[in-house]
Amino acid sequence: MRNEPKVVAITGASSGIGEATARRLAADGHRLLLGARRVERLEALTEEIGAAGGTAAFRRLDVTDAGDVRGFVAAAGERYGRVDVVVNNAGVMPLSPLDALEVEEWDRTIDVNVRGVLYGIAAALPVMRAQGAGHIVNIASVGAYEVSPTAAVYCATKFAVRAISEGLRQESGGGVRVTLVSPGVTESELADGISDPVARDAMKAYRAVALPASAVADAIAYAVSQPPEVDVNELVVRPVASAR
């Protein structure tokens, strides 16, 4: 298995899976551009990676803005000369029953979880086509395979990411690799955004057994490290003790 240094752009890199992935890929020798809205966290993470001998830079990023995402991917190419991997990791999870009618939360979930991934693909594909190679890694969830009460909209967005990833794989013609990583319950800040009290309490119990974010980062690193002729398409990563 080869592990040649690559240029990797990661969205949602300020915490959770994105932050852990940045640490893991930097330790593997890859050169990173980190994106998120919380610039102070990105700055601290970039300094930490640099102090450990890694290579990373950061840029403020709003994945709901197509132009901002294009600028983010372009900045990776301008800084490092190419873009080998884009990890579309940014996501939100504001759960609530449908009859709570949290329409603004629905819109936000769709904007970040679906449009954000599509904007990442739209920004990366032309660059990777021009290079003749590239790798798009989309982060979904076990919610891409099942639906739970209060999670209908969230799961719908993750079903969409799964469908988009499979469509992209079929259309790529082998020039661009596509990986879908679907974590089970993982330590992160996603649950902090749940405003509905019933859903929030249910999620506390659901998250009693959780993976460390580093376990998902390891799965991403595995897919990225494969030789050019190997395309790891789907990885589902769950805690051993989890029923879901």
Side-chain angles (χ1 to χ4, degrees):
M1 190 186 304
R2 303 172 204 163
N3 199 15
E4 298 174 356
K6 296 177 180 177
V7 175
V8 185
I10 305 172
T11 74
S14 62
S15 65
I17 291 170
E19 180 181 0
T21 300
R23 288 197 177 98
R24 171 60 199 269
L25 295 184
D28 286 348
H30 302 301
R31 295 174 291 170
L32 311 181
L33 182 64
L34 311 178
R37 290 177 300 159
R38 293 178 291 186
V39 176
E40 70 287 348
R41 289 199 177 191
L42 294 178
E43 184 175 13
L45 178 58
T46 299
E47 290 176 356
E48 176 190 327
I49 288 170
T55 302
F58 68 91
R59 176 186 170 110
R60 188 187 185 281
L61 174 65
D62 178 358
V63 298
T64 68
D65 182 329
D68 204 16
V69 181
R70 282 195 304 272
F72 174 67
V73 173
E78 290 164 6
R79 186 176 188 89
Y80 299 119
R82 59 184 294 112
V83 182
D84 297 300
V85 184
V86 170
V87 181
N88 287 312
N89 167 72
V92 294
M93 192 179 67
L95 308 184
S96 63
L98 290 171
D99 63 8
L101 302 179
E102 297 284 359
V103 176
E104 290 185 3
E105 288 189 351
W106 299 348
D107 288 344
R108 175 68 178 165
T109 306
I110 292 167
D111 285 345
V112 174
N113 293 2
V114 181
R115 290 194 175 93
V117 169
L118 287 170
Y119 293 161
I121 292 168
L125 267 182
V127 175
M128 294 177 178
R129 294 286 194 205
Q131 294 172 168
H135 191 172
I136 294 174
V137 180
N138 295 329
I139 309 304
S141 163
V142 291
Y145 302 85
E146 62 184 15
V147 181
S148 303
T150 75
V153 175
Y154 173 76
C155 291
T157 65
K158 296 304 182 178
F159 269 76
V161 172
R162 184 181 172 202
I164 291 163
S165 300
E166 174 60 10
L168 178 60
R169 183 194 69 78
Q170 293 182 23
E171 295 173 7
S172 70
V176 176
R177 300 193 294 176
V178 182
T179 300
L180 178 74
V181 179
S182 297
V185 181
T186 304
E187 295 171 356
S188 73
E189 298 177 359
L190 276 179
D192 296 348
I194 300 174
S195 60
D196 183 85
V198 175
R200 187 169 57 248
D201 289 345
M203 186 52 58
K204 286 179 182 177
Y206 182 77
R207 297 174 71 86
V209 177
L211 289 169
S214 60
V216 184
D218 289 344
I220 295 167
Y222 169 77
V224 168
S225 71
Q226 297 304 302
E229 66 274 14
V230 177
D231 192 5
V232 178
N233 300 135
E234 290 194 40
L235 290 168
V236 179
V237 186
R238 292 183 173 95
V240 171
S242 176
R244 293 180 174 178

